[in-house]
Amino acid sequence: MPRKLAACRGYSANFAKITLICSTLLAGTAMAFTQAKADDINWRQFEGASIVWAYDIHPYADAVAAQLPEFEKLTGIKVTPELYPDDAYWNKLTIQLSTKSPSWDVVGTGIQPAWDLAPGQLLEPLDRYLNDPKLTAAGYDYKDFFPALRDALTWKVKEGQIEPGSGQVWAIPHGFENIQLFYRKDILHKYGVKVPTTPPEMSAACEKLKAADPAITPLGVRGVRFWSSIHTAAISIARSYGVHDFVVKDGKLDTGLDSPESIAFHKDYVDMIKKCAAPSFANDNWYQVVDGINSGRTAMAIDSNMFGFWNDVAGKPASGKIAFAPPLHAPNSKNFESNIWIWSLAMNAASQKKGAAWLFIQWATSKRVELNGAVAGKLVNSPRASTWSDKAWLEYAAKPEFNNFVDTFKTVQDRAQLAFTARVGFAEAMNGWAVAMQKMVNGADVKATLADLASEIRSSM
Amino acid sequence: MDIRGSDGIVTLQPSASQLASPKDKAVRSAEERRLDWWSIAAIAPAIIVLLGFLFLFFYGVFQSLTDLRFGRPLVHFIGLNNYAALIKTGDFWNSIRATLVYAGSAVLAEAVFGLALAKLFATEVFLARVMRPVILLPLVLPPMSVALMWTTMMDPQSGIMNYLLSLAGINRFAWISDPNTAMFSLVLIDVWTYTPFFTLIIFAGLQGINEEVREAARVNGAKGWATFLHIELPLIAPYILIAAVFRLIESLNQFDIIFGTTQGGPGNSTSVLSVRAYITAFQNLAFARGAALMVVNWMIVLIGTFAMVKLWRFVRQRVS
């Protein structure tokens, strides 16, 4: 009996121990589950809604569009992407928002166009959504976005003008670009051309390339009479000459485009374009730049770095043939400068489905969608620090076909910054600059054209 | 003074009033009132549509007198300041010149080619029979598609136009990429697209000429060219002019073809008023100045149309 009792006690002790362990495990699991539930939001709170997401025809859009079924399954929200060619998109965006049309809920934008859109209350400030725990998952981690990008998309509207640095969040970044020189290794190697570092060096390299093969366009750059042709090569190189779009003179904002530095820059740049760019320069947008470098009709290009990356992806005709370098700089300057462009998602203030629109913005800019897009070779420059520390992305980007992409990105990113002055009226001034550039390339006197441009900008300030 | 007409009215009116009784008068007046309401109801939609158009037009004119632009919360009435600022700039006068050159050259060339094609279609030669259905194709294409198609074809490096020229031993042409050739290229696109319109109208005019008139000319010894110049051309002149009125209005307002190819460039070489107005309003976000440019464009269209209609009336009177 005592043995039986002892055995019974032993079983009881074991049973109690197992029960305790199981209970602890169960409680832990339940707590973890409850915690996870608390961290997340109800993704199906706008189930049945249907929203329209408008964007440029762009691989960044493709990266998000490829993952859309996952979002629709998660939320029960139907997303219709409306994608337009670059020029058409920006014009349509302005018209849709200025007419307060609710037909677009989420739009793609950059910081510069958003400067013109926000003061007219055409974009919805996003702080309210970001700070609402019912609408934003704790795991979203807004602070994971690079601080410079977050700051660039945060500003105050004061007396109709932009005060950057603090205020409201107007858009969420989902991809960014810095401006680089990328080139066809095979073509430069074939003709013994060194990678140029200044506009005069580029002009000389172009003459050499043209002499060797007249069918080659030595340099691909945008030239359309729209601000998009200024924000890449022109502004990046201009900054290394000491050119500023706007300067403060006697406490007042004034244009710096007729300064001696600007005249020096334009003389070199115009000469370079005449010697290097395609005859269709005035009609060339980024589509032509990418097509040129991809097909090998163009030897070099100065534009957003991912244009080189996309064409290096395995299976593309130019895979492994495109290498990267910092953008050109002034002959008397030691450093290059590189402008940044932040592709962002913003909400139409006239949207009637703002909750569903926010869930889409949140999902499209989440860590997972960013990383998936990056390793698919499309969302190349992720704005999230977590992507850049993720082994999967780093291993992918370090593949031999991408040549020196990662190293050049890091070198350029150290000096890359927003090269424009934050102000309402960005589009008008920069469109004027693009038209003036075309005039100078077509033979107009540089100094006189810049004086006219400056006077035109001053009259609109 | 039309004495016969006056006579008729004077004699009939008193007779009718003498025959009508006071009761009839009341019934008729009640009927008239009813009829008035019906009439008003019948024309109401037209009046509403007209008022809507007028309101939008005058609202546009009003906008051109303000400083309306994006990002400016308050809108002020500034009178004619936008117009004063515009006429001080060389770019504005360049746009006026570009608008007139584009519309004038395109309409003139289309009239000439349209006449030639219509004359060809009026014959029974094999080429005419083949071309009659084909010629209409450009007219049914959306202008923006036409613009994109020609932009590709006119690419100085890879476009088919330069390839075709090279077959004839002609050197590379810059087409829309050079300010010296861009306007010519745009007029070429317009001519390709809208010549069929002239052809159709003039062909209808030629079909309407009585064969006896031609026969009489032939009997009097007129040869083919003389018959065309002295008989047919004066008779179809009103048709040419009415087609020209429609095309002039469209060409002075042309936007799609120009924006879709050059966007007004290179430089400002093809920056016609409609394109400049659009860019000013929707790219530069200066709505009021864009509206002012549209009002100027409208005035040019109005003056051009009046002149053409006067000419058409004059020619029609002479023909009849």
Side-chain angles (χ1 to χ4, degrees):
Chain A
M1 188 72 183
R3 282 172 78 180
K4 271 188 180 173
L5 262 174
C8 199
R9 258 206 324 261
Y11 284 132
S12 301
N14 268 345
F15 179 75
K17 211 155 84 182
I18 289 164
T19 309
L20 187 70
I21 290 166
C22 286
S23 309
T24 313
L25 277 172
L26 269 172
T29 312
M31 270 176 71
F33 184 70
T34 315
Q35 186 62 41
K37 285 282 276 182
D39 280 353
D40 212 346
I41 53 166
N42 174 15
W43 284 94
R44 298 197 79 84
Q45 57 188 304
F46 300 106
E47 189 174 357
S50 183
I51 59 168
V52 174
W53 160 50
Y55 208 92
D56 202 89
I57 293 177
H58 198 285
Y60 281 4
D62 298 344
V64 175
Q67 301 177 64
L68 267 182
E70 193 186 296
F71 173 75
E72 292 182 342
K73 199 175 157 192
L74 174 73
T75 61
I77 297 168
K78 171 98 182 86
V79 180
T80 307
E82 277 194 22
L83 310 178
Y84 298 90
D86 199 59
D87 295 344
Y89 175 68
W90 294 112
N91 293 325
K92 206 162 164 51
L93 175 71
T94 310
I95 294 169
Q96 287 281 345
L97 298 192
S98 64
T99 53
K100 313 249 180 201
S101 163
S103 58
W104 288 0
D105 302 287
V106 177
V107 298
T109 184
I111 319 164
Q112 294 91 325
W115 288 334
D116 282 336
L117 297 173
Q121 296 173 339
L122 307 179
L123 295 179
E124 175 82 358
L126 300 175
D127 313 66
R128 184 162 74 81
Y129 304 88
L130 271 170
N131 299 328
D132 187 340
K134 283 184 183 159
L135 289 173
T136 303
Y140 179 62
D141 194 7
Y142 180 61
K143 292 200 168 159
D144 183 43
F145 292 102
F146 291 121
L149 307 184
R150 273 188 281 130
D151 290 350
L153 288 160
T154 306
W155 65 77
K156 253 190 283 200
V157 178
K158 197 176 170 189
E159 291 164 8
Q161 264 305 344
I162 303 291
E163 275 196 5
S166 65
Q168 290 171 301
V169 176
W170 295 93
I172 307 287
H174 87 121
F176 76 107
E177 309 162 358
N178 60 37
I179 305 305
Q180 294 182 15
L181 165 69
F182 41 94
Y183 55 94
R184 291 284 298 230
K185 280 193 312 181
D186 51 338
I187 297 174
L188 295 202
H189 178 72
K190 184 178 171 188
Y191 298 116
V193 174
K194 271 177 60 182
V195 179
T197 59
T198 65
E201 277 182 30
M202 177 61 87
S203 298
C206 294
E207 282 178 328
K208 194 173 174 183
L209 276 167
K210 268 188 180 171
D213 184 354
I216 278 186
T217 296
L219 180 67
V221 272
R222 306 184 199 192
V224 286
R225 58 199 307 273
F226 191 55
W227 54 258
S228 68
S229 64
I230 294 297
H231 91 94
T232 50
I235 191 72
S236 300
I237 304 171
R239 284 302 288 258
S240 77
Y241 280 74
V243 180
H244 293 271
D245 56 347
F246 288 91
V247 290
V248 177
K249 268 186 199 165
D250 304 324
K252 275 189 171 180
L253 203 63
D254 189 19
T255 179
L257 291 178
D258 55 349
S259 65
E261 294 84 5
S262 177
I263 293 167
F265 157 71
H266 281 92
K267 279 183 176 166
D268 283 356
Y269 190 80
V270 166
D271 182 57
M272 179 184 87
I273 295 295
K274 282 179 179 170
K275 287 175 179 156
C276 302
S280 55
F281 169 75
N283 299 309
D284 286 352
N285 205 333
W286 68 263
Y287 299 110
Q288 286 76 19
V289 174
V290 176
D291 183 52
I293 203 88
N294 184 34
S295 63
R297 278 201 313 275
T298 305
M300 295 175 272
I302 305 173
D303 213 299
S304 302
N305 62 331
M306 77 269 178
F307 293 151
F309 186 94
W310 290 333
N311 288 304
D312 269 336
V313 169
K316 294 274 177 87
S319 177
K321 291 176 183 166
I322 300 169
F324 303 83
L328 306 176
H329 59 77
N332 58 359
S333 170
K334 282 180 191 163
N335 289 317
F336 63 85
E337 304 293 340
S338 176
N339 184 32
I340 56 170
W341 168 264
I342 309 171
W343 269 114
S344 321
L345 295 180
M347 198 191 296
N348 179 4
S351 164
Q352 288 163 353
K353 298 153 193 164
K354 292 196 172 88
W358 169 247
L359 288 195
F360 173 69
I361 292 176
Q362 186 185 168
W363 169 83
T365 56
S366 64
K367 286 179 183 172
R368 204 156 54 84
V369 172
E370 290 286 351
L371 182 64
N372 288 347
V375 293
K378 288 185 185 293
L379 251 167
V380 179
N381 299 321
S382 169
R384 282 188 171 274
S386 57
T387 310
W388 286 92
S389 57
D390 192 282
K391 214 175 148 195
W393 162 242
L394 291 176
E395 276 176 6
Y396 178 73
K399 282 185 176 181
E401 62 260 33
F402 298 117
N403 295 301
N404 56 346
F405 171 78
V406 174
D407 292 342
T408 313
F409 176 83
K410 285 177 181 166
T411 310
V412 173
Q413 193 54 30
D414 281 346
R415 291 198 63 79
Q417 59 175 322
L418 194 60
F420 294 105
T421 307
R423 64 182 285 275
V424 176
F426 161 83
E428 185 171 15
M430 296 306 112
N431 287 343
W433 190 356
V435 173
M437 190 67 87
Q438 285 194 349
K439 287 181 184 171
M440 290 182 277
V441 169
N442 290 323
D445 179 68
V446 168
K447 199 174 171 185
T449 309
L450 290 175
D452 286 347
L453 170 66
S455 144
E456 186 188 321
I457 293 173
R458 281 183 192 117
S459 71
S460 66
M461 286 174 79
Chain B
M1 194 177 159
D2 189 352
I3 296 171
R4 279 182 301 166
S6 311
D7 244 30
I9 294 164
V10 169
T11 46
L12 274 175
Q13 272 185 338
S15 325
S17 62
Q18 279 161 7
L19 287 171
S21 69
K23 197 183 166 189
D24 289 344
K25 258 187 190 174
V27 170
R28 212 174 55 204
S29 116
E31 270 176 1
E32 270 170 9
R33 268 205 299 277
R34 253 205 320 273
L35 275 175
D36 279 347
W37 281 114
W38 277 113
S39 306
I40 288 167
I43 60 166
I47 291 173
I48 291 167
V49 170
L50 187 68
L51 285 176
F53 276 119
L54 284 176
F55 170 76
L56 289 176
F57 173 74
F58 284 110
Y59 186 65
V61 174
F62 168 74
Q63 281 186 326
S64 76
L65 304 174
T66 67
D67 62 353
L68 175 67
R69 65 170 298 136
F70 250 164
R72 191 171 287 170
L74 291 173
V75 178
H76 302 103
F77 183 80
I78 56 167
L80 295 171
N81 284 6
N82 284 324
Y83 296 90
L86 280 178
I87 58 173
K88 280 183 201 158
T89 62
D91 285 347
F92 169 73
W93 294 108
N94 172 67
S95 288
I96 300 251
R97 186 192 56 79
T99 308
L100 296 176
V101 168
Y102 177 83
S105 334
V107 172
L108 196 66
E110 282 157 21
V112 172
F113 289 122
L115 181 61
L117 282 171
K119 193 72 185 114
L120 175 72
F121 287 178
T123 65
E124 281 305 314
V125 295
F126 174 71
L127 185 66
R129 287 206 304 274
V130 173
M131 278 185 71
R132 257 180 232 156
V134 177
I135 195 79
L136 290 177
L137 281 178
L139 262 188
V140 297
L141 287 172
M144 207 41 135
S145 308
V146 169
L148 294 175
M149 184 181 85
W150 278 93
T151 304
T152 316
M153 295 201 309
M154 286 177 166
D155 187 287
Q157 281 180 304
S158 55
I160 194 165
M161 297 295 283
N162 273 351
Y163 172 72
L164 293 175
L165 287 182
S166 73
L167 294 179
I170 300 169
N171 277 343
R172 193 185 274 178
F173 197 65
W175 300 107
I176 54 172
S177 301
D178 187 296
N180 299 315
T181 54
M183 183 57 86
F184 165 76
S185 308
L186 291 184
V187 170
L188 179 69
I189 300 172
D190 198 294
V191 168
W192 179 84
T193 314
Y194 294 109
T195 295
F197 177 74
F198 266 93
T199 308
L200 273 181
I201 306 252
I202 299 170
F203 180 63
L206 281 169
Q207 297 293 92
I209 298 174
N210 195 332
E211 198 51 40
E212 285 169 9
V213 178
R214 289 195 185 99
E215 193 57 39
R218 255 179 251 133
V219 168
N220 284 315
K223 297 271 184 258
W225 176 248
T227 309
F228 171 71
L229 203 65
H230 300 295
I231 306 292
E232 288 180 337
L233 193 58
L235 286 173
I236 57 169
Y239 291 88
I240 299 175
L241 284 172
I242 201 71
V245 170
F246 286 117
R247 282 299 307 136
L248 189 73
I249 294 171
E250 269 192 72
S251 300
L252 287 169
N253 283 318
Q254 183 57 263
F255 175 80
D256 311 40
I257 288 178
I258 302 172
F259 192 76
T261 47
T262 63
Q263 298 196 353
N268 277 326
S269 57
T270 59
S271 180
V272 296
L273 281 167
S274 59
V275 171
R276 177 172 287 278
Y278 177 81
I279 289 173
T280 306
F282 294 108
Q283 288 186 356
N284 297 346
L285 315 177
F287 285 111
R289 261 188 289 150
L293 282 160
M294 279 321 297
V295 171
V296 173
N297 198 20
W298 169 77
M299 283 166 72
I300 291 174
V301 172
L302 195 70
I303 293 166
T305 310
F306 264 128
M308 289 297 287
V309 169
K310 276 227 166 229
L311 185 63
W312 173 70
R313 279 186 180 155
F314 172 74
V315 170
R316 205 179 57 163
Q317 262 180 354
R318 276 185 66 109
V319 170
S320 59

